[in-house]
Amino acid sequence: QVQLVESGGGLVQAGGSLRLSCASSAFATYTTGWFRQAPGKEREFVVAISWSGDRTVYADSVKGRFTISRDNAVNTVYLQMNSLKPEDTAVYYCAASVYVTMRREQYDYWGQGTQVTVSS
């Protein structure tokens, strides 16, 4: 089983930055995606990156503010979040898929999530 562990969440003021990390026990050739879920809301796609890093897909809501990258030498994917807004507040999850996809149902493995809170 693939195990994914997110870290790096916390409390930040609007306009600030955070960097999230997703460490995997076995990424293999999986795409890694980030999703987020706010209280009372459905889990939504944020961004994904292919195993090789040559293909990325961003949700329109974070394009230009968030940057995904990966370091396969340490089996870690990073999400650099800049210019954070209160509406970015959510639990952020990383997940693994055999596809480069935005579709939640196509991700097979999920981490436990890390809380990001952006104050106004």
Side-chain angles (χ1 to χ4, degrees):
Q1 291 288 316
V2 175
Q3 293 180 315
L4 304 173
V5 180
E6 304 94 337
S7 62
L11 175 63
V12 65
Q13 293 184 344
S17 298
L18 285 172
R19 189 181 74 159
L20 306 184
S21 298
C22 174
S24 175
S25 63
F27 273 121
T29 57
Y30 277 70
T31 291
T32 301
W34 286 94
F35 290 76
R36 64 187 183 186
Q37 188 166 24
K41 304 293 184 180
E42 293 188 349
R43 193 169 300 186
E44 67 172 347
F45 173 81
V46 178
V47 63
I49 186 169
S50 63
W51 175 81
S52 64
D54 65 342
R55 186 172 178 84
T56 58
V57 182
Y58 290 85
D60 288 342
S61 60
V62 305
K63 195 173 300 181
R65 299 188 298 121
F66 292 9
T67 303
I68 191 170
S69 62
R70 71 189 310 154
D71 184 351
N72 287 344
V74 293
N75 277 355
T76 302
V77 171
Y78 304 98
L79 180 61
Q80 179 66 46
M81 306 186 297
N82 299 326
S83 302
L84 283 162
K85 305 174 181 179
E87 51 262 46
D88 295 318
T89 295
V91 176
Y92 283 70
Y93 300 88
C94 66
S97 174
V98 297
Y99 309 106
V100 182
T101 179
M102 302 171 68
R103 296 171 60 181
R104 182 177 55 201
E105 67 270 21
Q106 291 186 312
Y107 285 82
D108 301 309
Y109 304 100
W110 294 83
Q112 297 298 303
T114 185
Q115 177 71 49
V116 172
T117 303
V118 184
S119 62
S120 60

